[in-house]
């Protein structure tokens, strides 16, 4: 009996992750983004509390469209991380483990994070 030939290489572009796998990877990426942005945001926040001139400089910085876009990305990262985290807590409690339910909750994470980001982004812009 001959063993199955092992693949020589993986064609990474042809591998498709299921939606729950993509949500899991984006959960990790959003956590890294939030962790990396936290010192910068804390530095900016501490600068706003020191004086009125520092607050005016901060306000001018935040008014730039590219900075606003970056803050909207941070808002998405926060919302996605929070909603996906709740989903993972429910999965840890053995709720929603069925394939159909897991796919639907993963889609719900995508949609709710994007909708909340759009709504809050428009309100805060």
């Amino acid at each position: 009996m001959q063993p199955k030939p092992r693949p020589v290489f993986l064609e990474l572009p042809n591998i498709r992750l299921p939606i729950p796998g993509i949500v899991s990877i984006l959960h990790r990426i959003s956590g890294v983004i939030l962790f990396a942005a936290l010192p910068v945001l804390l530095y900016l926040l501490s600068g706003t509390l020191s004086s009125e001139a520092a607050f005016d400089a901060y306000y001018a910085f935040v008014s730039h469209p590219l900075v606003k876009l970056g803050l909207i990305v941070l808002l998405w990262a926060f919302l996605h991380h929070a909603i996906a985290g709740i989903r993972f807590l429910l999965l840890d409690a053995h709720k929603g483990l069925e394939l159909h339910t897991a796919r639907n909750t993963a889609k719900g994470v995508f949609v709710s994070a994007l909708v909340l980001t759009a709504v809050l982004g428009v309100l805060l812009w």
Side-chain angles (χ1 to χ4, degrees):
M1 182 169 169
Q2 291 282 12
K4 285 176 125 179
R6 299 191 69 154
V8 177
F9 63 93
L10 292 175
E11 294 182 28
L12 293 178
N14 294 335
I15 296 175
R16 290 192 52 210
L17 275 177
I19 292 177
I22 295 170
V23 168
S24 177
I25 289 173
L26 286 177
H27 180 73
R28 292 170 188 222
I29 291 171
S30 63
V32 169
I33 290 170
L34 291 172
F35 181 76
L38 189 62
V40 174
L41 291 175
L42 287 175
Y43 173 74
L44 291 173
L45 180 64
S46 69
T48 63
L49 300 174
S50 61
S51 69
E52 187 176 343
F55 179 79
D56 290 337
Y58 168 77
Y59 188 75
F61 176 72
V62 172
S63 297
H64 193 274
L66 288 177
V67 175
K68 284 185 179 184
L69 185 64
L71 291 174
I72 287 177
V73 169
L74 284 176
L75 178 64
W76 169 83
F78 173 74
L79 292 171
H80 179 83
H81 196 76
I83 296 168
I86 292 169
R87 177 182 176 266
F88 289 132
L89 285 174
L90 291 172
L91 289 174
D92 287 343
H94 300 286
K95 305 290 182 195
L97 292 178
E98 297 80 25
L99 182 61
H100 182 69
T101 307
R103 286 182 177 163
N104 285 339
T105 58
K107 290 175 188 175
V109 167
F110 272 129
V111 170
S112 58
L114 289 175
V115 167
L116 284 173
T117 301
V119 169
L120 291 174
V122 167
L123 289 175
L124 297 174
W125 189 273

